[in-house]
Amino acid sequence: MLLWRRQPFSTIWLSRNKSLTKLALGIGIALFAILIFTMVRTGSDSFFQVVSRTYHYQNIQYMVQVFMEDITIAFLFIRFRAVLKLRGSIILVAALFAAGHIPAMISQGYSFAELGSLLLDASLGVGLVYTLQRSSDVIWFWCIHFAMDMMQFYAVP
């Protein structure tokens, strides 16, 4: 759509400006988050084991998936923001992000009551979308988002 409408990558919160700095910052925060997670999670493998499993080439597909989620958030937010107020755009995108988890939860056998946890996801999403729109960039966040998603798979054997 960006190419078709001749829109810049800034409309999905991607810019070349200081991209290596943003990437390094994101990786640094992600590694710190993994360190804290492995320290507080009972039964977790060591920090180095978790990092080596997280950043293994077999996880490239998940990296791409998370990256696409993040630019989709930006894509939707920018377009909704053109029509709605800031608060409405943030809430709508956060709700859509949380709702995007429903098919996977249903396929894994979650009950209707357990789907209530999506309210927490949406609440977290409000804070994240607010922060992302303030920074107008997803590169740094992508690193953190990927690391946190991977913790559910690799932190405890």
Side-chain angles (χ1 to χ4, degrees):
M1 182 169 206
L2 294 178
L3 297 175
W4 179 52
R5 296 186 73 188
R6 295 187 177 123
Q7 295 174 330
F9 283 108
S10 62
T11 64
I12 55 172
W13 291 336
L14 290 176
S15 73
R16 292 184 183 156
N17 187 22
K18 298 182 182 178
S19 56
L20 288 178
T21 302
K22 292 181 279 192
L23 189 61
L25 177 67
I27 291 170
I29 295 170
L31 290 173
F32 182 70
I34 293 170
L35 175 65
I36 298 301
F37 187 82
T38 58
M39 290 171 60
V40 300
R41 178 74 184 244
T42 304
S44 176
D45 286 339
S46 75
F47 168 75
F48 296 106
Q49 289 172 316
V50 173
V51 168
S52 68
R53 289 182 190 145
T54 299
Y55 295 101
H56 193 274
Y57 73 90
Q58 72 185 18
N59 294 327
I60 290 174
Q61 64 189 4
Y62 302 119
M63 260 185 183
V64 172
Q65 176 186 335
V66 169
F67 181 71
M68 296 305 289
E69 288 175 6
D70 293 344
I71 63 172
T72 299
I73 289 169
F75 179 88
L76 291 172
F77 178 83
I78 294 289
R79 279 123 192 104
F80 290 145
R81 182 69 178 99
V83 178
L84 303 172
K85 293 182 179 181
L86 177 65
R87 183 179 295 168
S89 301
I90 290 172
I91 291 169
L92 180 57
V93 171
L96 289 172
F97 178 74
H101 293 92
I102 292 173
M105 292 176 79
I106 290 172
S107 71
Q108 293 174 4
Y110 282 73
S111 70
F112 184 74
E114 291 171 311
L115 292 176
S117 68
L118 292 174
L119 292 175
L120 293 173
D121 288 350
S123 299
L124 178 62
V126 165
L128 293 173
V129 174
Y130 175 79
T131 302
L132 286 170
Q133 66 86 30
R134 294 282 304 201
S135 74
S136 298
D137 193 274
V138 295
I139 294 294
W140 66 273
F141 177 68
W142 167 53
C143 302
I144 301 163
H145 185 186
F146 169 72
M148 294 296 88
D149 275 9
M150 295 308 293
M151 290 307 93
Q152 65 187 320
F153 302 118
Y154 294 106
V156 179

